[in-house]
Amino acid sequence: MSPRAGLDKGRILQEAAIMADQGGYDTVTLAAVAKSLSVQPPSLYNHISGLPELRKMLAIKGLEELYHCMANHTDNSVNEIAQSYLAFALNHPGLYEASLKAPDPFNEEVQEAGNKILNLIIKLLNGRGLEGDNVYHAVRGFRSLLHGFVMLEMVKGFNMNLKLPESLDFAVTAYIAGLEAKADEEP
């Protein structure tokens, strides 16, 4: 079977990303993508090897877009990066979920995309007196704070009359102050 004109790996990925953002990560199946593209599912196999490859591609796209969203600031402040993280996750919930669910997190391409985010956060936290493994503990804490914030907002868990960006700034500022205090305690 010859490939359908206009259908390629990029188009398939684009359609899968739209589907994930609109209906959720789990709605992305080969049958659903094929239907959305008005092709038969076997036509997709001319371009991708199957659902695991498509999910890997979604994970990489999610990680790369999250990185670009976070890195696209002139001042690169921790609070601005946190706001960008939140905005990306809320605007692209399917891609955000895909970035968390890489089918093979040890895949070299997935690791490379994830390491860009890791290195960006390390750079942001640099100069706060953290050394050794504590830098990675701080990155994990920062990511956990952001992910928790995102998940609570996604399920409308912040049903208060407070502005979301202000709450996130408060939480991030308190976290950074705690990191700096912790670093001052270290010998």
Side-chain angles (χ1 to χ4, degrees):
M1 179 180 281
S2 63
R4 180 178 175 143
L7 186 64
D8 59 19
K9 195 179 261 193
R11 179 70 183 109
I12 294 167
L13 177 59
Q14 177 185 13
E15 191 63 32
I18 291 168
M19 290 178 67
D21 283 343
Q22 291 177 349
Y25 176 79
D26 291 331
T27 66
V28 178
T29 64
L30 293 182
V33 172
K35 182 178 180 182
S36 184
L37 292 169
S38 301
V39 300
Q40 294 298 313
S43 298
L44 300 179
Y45 287 98
N46 290 318
H47 307 284
I48 60 172
S49 62
L51 189 57
E53 180 183 5
L54 183 56
R55 290 200 167 162
K56 178 188 84 169
M57 291 165 45
L58 277 172
I60 292 167
K61 181 176 179 62
L63 288 165
E64 287 175 346
E65 288 193 17
L66 176 59
Y67 168 77
H68 288 296
C69 189
M70 292 170 68
N72 196 22
H73 291 282
T74 54
D75 65 352
N76 281 337
S77 77
V78 177
N79 290 71
E80 287 294 321
I81 297 297
Q83 295 294 339
S84 296
Y85 187 102
L86 176 64
F88 174 81
L90 296 179
N91 291 325
H92 299 284
L95 277 179
Y96 178 71
E97 186 176 356
S99 76
L100 302 171
K101 290 186 171 183
D104 179 4
F106 299 106
N107 174 278
E108 192 173 304
E109 293 172 281
V110 172
Q111 284 189 338
E112 185 178 315
N115 282 341
K116 288 179 182 177
I117 295 170
L118 173 68
N119 291 330
L120 176 64
I121 296 172
I122 288 172
K123 182 179 172 186
L124 283 172
L125 299 179
N126 194 21
R128 302 194 191 280
L130 300 169
E131 295 180 9
D133 287 347
N134 285 343
V135 173
Y136 297 102
H137 294 312
V139 170
R140 280 182 173 174
F142 186 64
R143 182 178 177 213
S144 297
L145 182 143
L146 295 177
H147 179 68
F149 206 92
V150 163
M151 296 312 295
L152 285 167
E153 177 57 20
M154 283 183 172
V155 298
K156 307 297 181 211
F158 293 131
N159 196 15
M160 297 179 189
N161 192 21
L162 292 170
K163 292 182 181 175
L164 195 62
E166 291 176 12
S167 294
L168 182 57
D169 278 345
F170 180 88
V172 168
T173 301
Y175 180 72
I176 296 301
L179 286 179
E180 291 169 348
K182 177 75 174 157
D184 288 344
E185 293 173 4
E186 293 180 5

